């Protein structure tokens, strides 16, 4: 059974930083891609970043390039999202997801975590 458990969300001032963690286990397949998505109230879920567990390849949404960094600790089955220079528009529920492609499109996701709230005050 795939398990994805996020942590690290919270309240931060604009310009501040947060580090999200995802404890991921029980993958359906060897070549799995772990992604972060976010959803703000009244908006569609959007892809933020993705990493290929096999070789560490990554991709980012344009809106977070240069500010967010995705990384992993394969030995501990952990994926992280370091978020710097946070803006009010980054506020959302952030979801960890497991899928089959290095993509920010949710169509390639098979499993979702429960989400963690990120609030950015201006």
């Amino acid at each position: 059974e795939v398990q994805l458990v996020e942590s690290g969300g919270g309240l931060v001032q604009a310009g501040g930083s947060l580090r999200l963690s995802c404890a991921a286990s029980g993958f359906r397949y060897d070549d799995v891609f772990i992604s972060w998505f976010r959803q703000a109230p009244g908006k569609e879920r959007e892809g933020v970043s993705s990493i290929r567990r096999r070789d560490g390849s990554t991709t980012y949404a344009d809106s977070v390039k240069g500010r967010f960094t995705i990384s992993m600790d394969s030995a501990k089955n952990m994926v992280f999202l370091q978020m710097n220079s946070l803006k009010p528009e980054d506020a959302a529920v952030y979801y960890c997801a497991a899928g089959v492609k290095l993509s920010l499109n949710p169509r390639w996701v098979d499993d979702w975590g429960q989400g963690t709230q990120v609030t950015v005050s201006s």
Side-chain angles (χ1 to χ4, degrees):
E1 179 184 359
V2 178
Q3 290 193 332
L4 301 163
V5 181
E6 304 96 334
S7 61
L11 171 64
V12 64
Q13 286 189 331
S17 298
L18 278 177
R19 188 192 195 207
L20 304 183
S21 299
C22 174
S25 62
F27 303 124
R28 300 174 186 270
Y29 21 77
D30 291 336
D31 196 11
V32 66
F33 299 79
I34 304 297
S35 305
W36 288 97
F37 288 78
R38 66 186 182 187
Q39 188 166 21
K43 295 188 176 182
E44 292 187 355
R45 192 169 295 190
E46 64 170 340
V48 175
S49 184
S50 183
I51 188 166
R52 188 182 188 184
R53 191 168 179 268
R54 176 174 290 178
D55 63 8
S57 301
T58 60
T59 190
Y60 294 90
D62 288 342
S63 58
V64 306
K65 280 181 182 176
R67 300 188 299 122
F68 290 12
T69 302
I70 192 169
S71 63
M72 65 181 179
D73 182 339
S74 297
K76 297 182 179 180
N77 284 333
M78 297 292 295
V79 175
F80 307 99
L81 186 68
Q82 178 66 43
M83 306 186 295
N84 298 329
S85 303
L86 282 161
K87 305 175 181 180
E89 52 264 41
D90 293 318
V93 177
Y94 282 70
Y95 297 90
C96 181
V100 297
K101 192 173 181 179
L102 192 69
S103 172
L104 302 179
N105 191 323
R107 67 176 293 187
W108 301 110
V109 172
D110 286 335
D111 300 282
W112 297 90
Q114 294 298 311
T116 184
Q117 177 72 51
V118 171
T119 304
V120 184
S121 62
S122 56

